[in-house]
Amino acid sequence: MAGETRESAPAAGAAAPSRRTVIALGGAGLALGAAVAGGAAALLAREGGTPVPVADSGAAVPFHGPHQAGIATAVQDRLHFAAFDVTTTDRAELVQLLKDWTRAAERMTAGAEVGEGAYGGLPEAPPDDTGEALGLKPSRLTLTIGFGPSLFDGRFGLKNKQPGALVELPKFPGDNLDPARSGGDLCVQACADDPQVAVHAIRNLARIGFGKVAVRWSQLGFGKTSSTTPDAQTPRNLFGFKDGTRNIAGTETERLARHVWVSGKDAEGPAAWMDGGSYLVARRIRMNVETWDRTPLAEQEDIFGRDKREGAPVGKAKEHDEPFLKAMKPDSHVRLAHPDTNAGATLLRRGYSFTDGTDGLGRLEAGLFFLAYQKDVRTGFIPVQTSLARADVLNEYIQHVGSALFAIPPGVRDKGDWWGRALFS
């Protein structure tokens, strides 16, 4: 739960096609609709002229572009995140997998089935698509790939291409990390407004990768805890507080360039292939909701530094009023996470809540799956989390139990491009 820090989601036209309808993608399926500059807050025309929010339209987000979708894109409602270990040692096999994944991602994000589809092929062979998303709309599905530090261990001749910013994160005070829920050679973040669409996407990529990659760990998420859309209502976390009030908006191109996208000196030397990319920190944060639920309201508000009803900072009336940090307790979450406390460090957050049953003692296994994008973790997540880990009183109610860092390459430019091409060229 780090950072007080919004990319718009291009959307399809009014009538979003079913997945079976979109078979021929032609020039990348971009004909599914025009980009909607205002993100999920924008409206599309429903039959009869009644406006409908983009998030409710089932629209498609264009796959191609200078940056990967799913970073500054208006945050969708659901998440399926998966980290993979690469099991092949053959560089050519890995490259072919990335190409196959790219082609599958193009189709799924456009609302089409993978390959020849879920039925109609040879009855003696498994179908190319698993079929559980048949008849469902694209649901603003985005697929975002990343490469972990362990991919650069020498197996694939990439050692001299590991960027300086792709470091092993330090062990922060209070961390209780489970190795089985941390790390990974590759990651894929699937975000959509329909959970079945997101799960279908990860399932099919894992199926395509059988024998070359294996799922190391995965996480389902719901109830986005940050917004990248201006004027949208700020989501609440499982503690009931608004989260991500100061998040970077998808329309804030200058802030995105300054804090999120890798370019210029940050994309020189070993990191040249990262031009247009970003860095992702993924943290699984357990929230002790039972303890929190017995905490007095006044104490809860002091811990966050905001009131629970409006989300206004201490001494202010509205959520978006500029906080006066000195009016907050020195160990409050907002004060310690604020850019002014961390030499301007600013993160673009896309976190989700999660619940995974109970822990065997009757306590809810619940929390925040924290996702934060930035230009460099050494000037972004690391200083912010160091500040929080040392002094944040919220640490009495949370614990970081999973962690990973990934380099997110630039977007796929066209039908001839593929995920990671600049790295493997």
Side-chain angles (χ1 to χ4, degrees), residues 57-74:
S57 70
V61 176
F63 179 76
H64 297 111
H67 311 296
Q68 289 195 64
I71 301 175
T73 307

Side-chain angles (χ1 to χ4, degrees), residues 87-361:
T87 55
T88 181
T89 57
D90 188 321
R91 177 185 170 114
E93 276 196 339
L94 177 56
V95 167
Q96 186 58 53
L97 172 65
L98 294 173
K99 292 179 179 179
D100 293 343
W101 271 9
T102 304
R103 302 288 82 86
E106 285 172 338
R107 296 183 65 83
M108 290 189 290
T109 55
E113 298 160 62
V114 174
E116 296 301 316
Y119 58 87
L122 290 173
E124 298 80 13
D128 288 345
D129 188 282
T130 53
E132 70 272 27
L134 285 172
L136 300 180
K137 296 177 180 179
S139 299
R140 296 196 301 131
L141 172 68
T142 56
L143 292 167
T144 312
I145 196 171
F147 304 132
S150 55
L151 191 68
F152 298 81
D153 60 6
R155 288 172 291 169
F156 306 107
L158 302 175
K159 266 192 171 182
N160 64 346
K161 287 193 172 184
Q162 181 169 354
L166 192 61
V167 297
E168 293 291 345
L169 294 175
K171 180 174 173 55
F172 299 99
D175 277 2
N176 185 24
L177 304 181
D178 179 358
R181 287 189 175 273
S182 301
D185 295 329
L186 305 172
C187 77
V188 179
Q189 171 194 280
C191 297
D193 291 321
D194 186 327
Q196 188 143 319
V197 171
V199 169
H200 168 266
I202 294 295
R203 177 183 177 186
N204 278 269
L205 294 181
R207 180 188 55 78
I208 292 168
F210 182 77
K212 305 178 189 69
V213 296
V215 175
R216 179 180 177 87
W217 56 270
S218 66
Q219 182 66 58
L220 293 171
F222 68 91
K224 59 189 178 186
T225 61
S226 296
S227 173
T228 55
T229 308
D231 304 322
Q233 179 176 324
T234 305
R236 294 180 184 269
N237 57 36
L238 291 182
F239 286 161
F241 278 77
K242 291 186 176 182
D243 211 347
T245 292
R246 298 176 58 84
N247 204 24
I248 300 173
T251 52
E252 295 180 299
T253 54
E254 192 277 330
R255 289 184 78 199
L256 287 167
R258 187 165 77 247
H259 298 295
V260 178
W261 306 131
V262 176
S263 63
K265 292 183 179 180
D266 298 308
E268 293 178 352
W273 61 274
M274 279 291 291
D275 188 17
S278 190
Y279 292 92
L280 168 64
V281 172
R283 303 277 283 187
R284 190 175 191 270
I285 304 173
R286 173 79 183 272
M287 299 168 72
N288 301 317
V289 294
E290 291 82 7
T291 305
W292 180 261
D293 292 344
R294 296 192 295 269
T295 302
L297 175 60
E299 185 176 345
Q300 290 184 1
E301 294 181 332
D302 284 342
I303 288 170
F304 271 98
R306 291 183 178 273
D307 75 70
K308 199 166 190 176
R309 178 180 179 178
E310 172 64 27
V314 172
K316 303 290 183 174
K318 299 295 183 182
E319 174 193 350
H320 294 283
D321 289 347
E322 188 66 26
F324 181 53
L325 299 183
K326 290 183 179 180
M328 301 177 185
K329 291 184 178 295
D331 56 2
S332 69
H333 181 73
V334 168
R335 180 170 179 172
L336 290 170
H338 196 278
D340 289 354
T341 306
N342 299 285
T346 304
L347 311 174
L348 187 156
R349 301 176 52 192
R350 290 185 64 92
Y352 287 82
S353 295
F354 70 85
T355 56
D356 291 334
T358 56
D359 63 0
L361 298 174

